[in-house]
Amino acid sequence: MTLAKPTFPAPDHDHGRCAADALDHAERICAQRGQKFTPQRRQVLEALLSSHRPLGAYEIIEELAKVAARPAPITVYRALEFLMANGLVHRIESRNAFLACAHDHEQTALVAFLICESCGAVGEVPAAPIAESLKSAAAASGFTPKLSVVEITGLCAHCQKAA
């Protein structure tokens, strides 16, 4: 996983450029994999890219309803399934919400989500060493993990400076 982007972008960063880069990334990934990046999938990703905060499915629906007809929940869930399957969106388990991802990492790579308790922003960092430790601990217990999610709450650097 390359961390070309900062874990927590500055509050005054060029978010339009940030979102455009993420959409370009999604288009490239879908083209490389021969997947269709349909208008509905694009709209759901654009809604998620409206901020660096995770959104629940119904919050996504509300975002989409601001500019077009309100989509059916099943439409949004299907788009989210596609986006997650292609590594373009992560699910934040503790928030039952979704986060756009523009990082170049394997779909199965374990990342740790850093969740700011103050501003709600979520950053992601590589967690391969943690994954190996968890995998070893699970194996030693005779357990075969299906899903590993690492979520860490705290304060991002921007909120620490503001405090």
Side-chain angles (χ1 to χ4, degrees):
M1 173 178 167
T2 55
L3 284 177
K5 301 177 186 318
T7 304
F8 289 96
D12 62 349
H13 79 289
D14 182 356
H15 191 71
R17 176 81 270 153
C18 180
D21 289 347
L23 284 170
D24 289 343
H25 171 75
E27 288 172 354
R28 282 193 314 276
I29 293 294
C30 289
Q32 288 170 1
R33 296 179 182 163
Q35 300 285 337
K36 291 183 181 178
F37 192 46
T38 65
Q40 289 173 333
R41 293 168 178 170
R42 172 184 279 281
Q43 291 165 355
V44 169
L45 186 58
E46 286 174 338
L48 286 168
L49 289 167
S50 66
S51 75
H52 291 282
R53 292 174 183 80
L55 297 176
Y58 285 89
E59 291 172 304
I60 294 168
I61 290 170
E62 291 303 316
E63 279 294 311
L64 296 175
K66 291 177 183 176
V67 294
R70 181 178 304 281
I74 190 68
T75 302
V76 171
Y77 280 112
R78 285 184 180 146
L80 287 167
E81 285 175 20
F82 170 87
L83 295 168
M84 285 188 299
N86 284 283
L88 302 170
V89 166
H90 295 295
R91 183 162 186 257
I92 306 298
E93 299 288 332
S94 65
R95 303 286 198 262
N96 192 23
F98 303 89
L99 180 71
C101 175
H103 294 285
D104 283 322
H105 57 71
E106 295 294 320
Q107 290 170 249
T108 57
L110 181 67
V111 295
F113 298 107
L114 308 177
I115 304 167
C116 182
E117 295 174 329
S118 180
C119 69
V122 176
E124 68 178 79
V125 294
I130 296 168
E132 287 305 314
S133 294
L134 291 172
K135 190 175 171 182
S136 295
S141 300
F143 184 79
T144 304
K146 180 180 174 188
L147 173 68
S148 294
V149 178
V150 178
E151 298 180 14
I152 304 167
T153 60
L155 291 177
C156 70
H158 306 295
C159 289
Q160 289 178 49
K161 285 180 188 175

